[in-house]
């Protein structure tokens, strides 16, 4: 009986240690908060590309609610990730949308992109979850 208790205690301790080292994955509400702070002025409250600054922008902001529709019904996680994070090879002047990569790089979580676990900024993982959630 004592041996069972020791094994059970050791197993519980190990599970607790793992739970402490693996951060909880961000979800859509966390991404919605980032969207509200950083994206609404151009993409609008519902993400349809109709924010208050749209009149002065060329090209017009993308309707973020139809990204999956334009990708055969599947949310284009890899493409959205690379566009939002920013491509270091491109100058920030070559696109209207700001690059968020530098501010996000410290807190990474693993998300699956095209079958590969990819270290991704936590806030961006939440934003991707939110964007996937608003597809119509």
């Amino acid at each position: 009986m004592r041996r069972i208790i020791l094994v059970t205690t050791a197993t519980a301790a190990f599970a607790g240690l793992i739970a402490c080292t693996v951060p909880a994955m961000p979800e859509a509400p966390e991404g919605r908060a980032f969207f509200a702070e950083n994206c609404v002025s151009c993409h609008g409250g519902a993400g349809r590309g109709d924010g208050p600054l749209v009149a002065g922008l060329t090209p017009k902001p993308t309707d973020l609610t139809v990204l999956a529709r334009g990708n055969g019904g599947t949310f284009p996680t890899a493409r959205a990730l690379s566009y939002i994070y920013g491509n270091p090879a491109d100058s920030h002047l070559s696109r209207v949308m700001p690059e968020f990569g530098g501010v996000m790089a410290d807190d990474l979580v693993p998300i699956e992109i095209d079958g590969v676990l990819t270290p991704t900024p936590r806030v961006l993982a939440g934003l991707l979850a939110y964007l996937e959630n608003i597809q119509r």
Side-chain angles (χ1 to χ4, degrees), residues 48-99:
R48 295 189 176 181
D50 58 356
L53 298 181
V54 73
L57 297 176
T58 303
K60 299 298 180 203
T62 300
D63 179 345
L64 301 174
T65 66
V66 295
L67 296 177
R69 187 184 306 167
N71 193 49
T74 303
F75 183 73
T77 306
R79 193 170 70 227
L81 172 71
S82 65
Y83 193 82
I84 296 166
Y85 194 71
N87 182 351
D90 287 337
S91 162
H92 71 283
L93 299 174
S94 67
R95 59 189 243 156
V96 175
M97 196 174 103
E99 292 181 19

